[in-house]
């Protein structure tokens, strides 16, 4: 029981931390509802880091993976959205 209670507390703390991070990210989003231009300041507020992987070649096509890690929420998986746009 004690081990289970401690584990549940740890889970709740993690969820609360995640909730705070999402709220912080949304606060930034709401401050830039319709920006006219993308400025370095806006980029720095949203993006923690950008990871550019080595160039790959598959089936005669050049590909390059780029991962964007956002502040407070981490990396958002967009590959399925990009694949939909490429095939549409």
């Amino acid at each position: 029981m004690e081990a289970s209670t401690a584990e549940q507390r740890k889970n709740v703390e993690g969820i609360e931390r995640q909730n705070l991070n999402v709220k912080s990210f949304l606060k930034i989003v709401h401050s830039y509802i319709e920006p006219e231009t993308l400025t370095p300041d806006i980029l720095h507020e949203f993006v923690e880091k950008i990871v550019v992987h080595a160039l790959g070649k598959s089936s005669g096509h050049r590909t390059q993976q780029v991962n964007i890690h956002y502040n407070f929420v981490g990396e958002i998986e967009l590959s399925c959205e990009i694949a939909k746009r490429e095939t549409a």
Side-chain angles (χ1 to χ4, degrees), residues 19-33:
N19 188 25
L20 180 63
N21 286 342
V22 169
K23 285 182 180 181
S24 298
F25 183 76
L26 289 176
K27 185 177 178 182
I28 294 172
V29 169
H30 288 298
S31 68
Y32 296 107
I33 295 296

Side-chain angles (χ1 to χ4, degrees), residues 5-18:
T5 302
E7 186 175 328
Q8 291 302 322
R9 279 193 189 126
K10 189 175 181 179
N11 289 340
V12 168
E13 289 172 2
I15 291 169
E16 288 173 346
R17 208 172 23 255
Q18 190 175 32

